[in-house]
Amino acid sequence: GAVVSQHPSRVICKSGTSVKIECRSLDFQATTMFWYRQFPKQSLMLMATSNEGSKATYEQGVEKDKFLINHASLTLSTLTVTSAHPEDSSFYICSARLTGDSNGYTFGSGTRLTVV
Amino acid sequence: QKEVEQDPGPLSVPEGAIVSLNCTYSNSAFQYFMWYRQYSRKGPELLMYTYSSGNKEDGRFTAQVDKSSKYISLFIRDSQPSDSATYLCAMFSGGYNKLIFGAGTRLAVHP
């Protein structure tokens, strides 16, 4: 089945710094990837849709200048949290889907970001 | 009204019990339905994936979709303590359209 690899699994950074999270599709090409944020005991909230070779589409209320998404290749999408603040501390998860109606969405293992 | 409604629980059952998890939805365009299991601090793991109405079975898990009632279910037979996790229903209308999640139900299976 499809595997999505996400790194790092955990990161702690100082307030004001930037953090980059990588999401790779293994053994398949993902023209579209999705980035979610999840707060404790809450469901996943879609932040943006990442499209290879074009600008990401952000959900309402998500600051595109703060959460920079780059999808430079068919197997790699990155999310950069710029000028991170403690309120950005959360669990970030990426997702991709193999083409074809028989395939659902596969998720990465998530990145726990703590901003101190 | 949320597009997908799911009781967050928590749901506590004894080992060996049959567990029934449910979601209702309002958007009739949804055609693809999924159940994910998420352990604490981990990414969601795809358990079941169904297209349109009907049943699908995989080991101890059975997924049911009733599009006429806009109601989906996940049954877990012979539940085990290792099944303790949060179960999320999710659905989308096709292509690369957005996946819409339920709130997730926290399940605890005690020995």
Side-chain angles (χ1 to χ4, degrees), chain A residues 32 34 36 38 43-44 46 59 91 93 97 99 101-105 107-109 112, chain B residues 32 34 36 38 41-44 46 49 88 92 95-99 101-103 106:
Chain A
T32 303
F34 301 87
Y36 294 82
Q38 187 178 34
S43 191
L44 284 75
L46 180 65
E59 294 299 299
F91 193 54
I93 317 172
R97 179 175 176 234
T99 55
D101 287 343
S102 61
N103 299 300
Y105 286 90
F107 286 81
S109 54
R112 181 159 302 281
Chain B
Y32 301 87
M34 284 146 284
Y36 288 89
Q38 186 176 27
R41 301 177 182 236
K42 300 290 184 184
L46 181 62
Y49 174 69
L88 298 142
F92 68 110
Y96 288 100
N97 288 331
K98 289 190 293 186
L99 195 59
F101 281 92
R106 282 183 290 141

Side-chain angles (χ1 to χ4, degrees), chain B residues 6 11-22 35-39 45 47-48 56-64 72-88 105-109:
Chain B
Q6 182 178 8
L11 180 62
S12 181
V13 302
E15 183 175 356
I18 297 174
V19 176
S20 173
L21 304 168
N22 312 291
W35 284 96
Y36 288 89
R37 177 174 61 195
Q38 186 176 27
Y39 293 111
E45 171 194 8
L47 279 178
M48 301 291 282
K56 185 174 183 179
E57 186 173 322
D58 184 1
R60 297 185 295 112
F61 300 91
T62 300
Q64 291 185 349
I72 68 171
S73 301
L74 177 71
F75 297 95
I76 307 174
R77 292 183 297 280
D78 188 25
S79 56
Q80 303 294 310
S82 59
D83 294 328
S84 299
T86 295
Y87 290 80
L88 298 142
T105 300
R106 282 183 290 141
L107 171 68
V109 182

Side-chain angles (χ1 to χ4, degrees), chain A residues 44-108:
Chain A
L44 284 75
M45 183 183 74
L46 180 65
M47 298 175 65
T49 302
S50 168
N51 300 294
E52 187 270 335
S54 64
K55 290 182 179 180
T57 303
Y58 291 82
E59 294 299 299
Q60 190 173 10
V62 177
E63 298 176 62
K64 61 181 181 181
D65 294 330
K66 180 168 189 62
F67 299 99
L68 300 180
I69 291 174
N70 185 292
H71 195 153
S73 78
L74 288 171
T75 59
L76 175 64
S77 176
T78 61
L79 168 68
T80 301
V81 183
T82 63
S83 186
H85 291 283
E87 58 265 30
D88 298 324
S89 298
S90 188
F91 193 54
Y92 293 87
I93 317 172
C94 65
S95 172
R97 179 175 176 234
L98 273 167
T99 55
D101 287 343
S102 61
N103 299 300
Y105 286 90
T106 301
F107 286 81

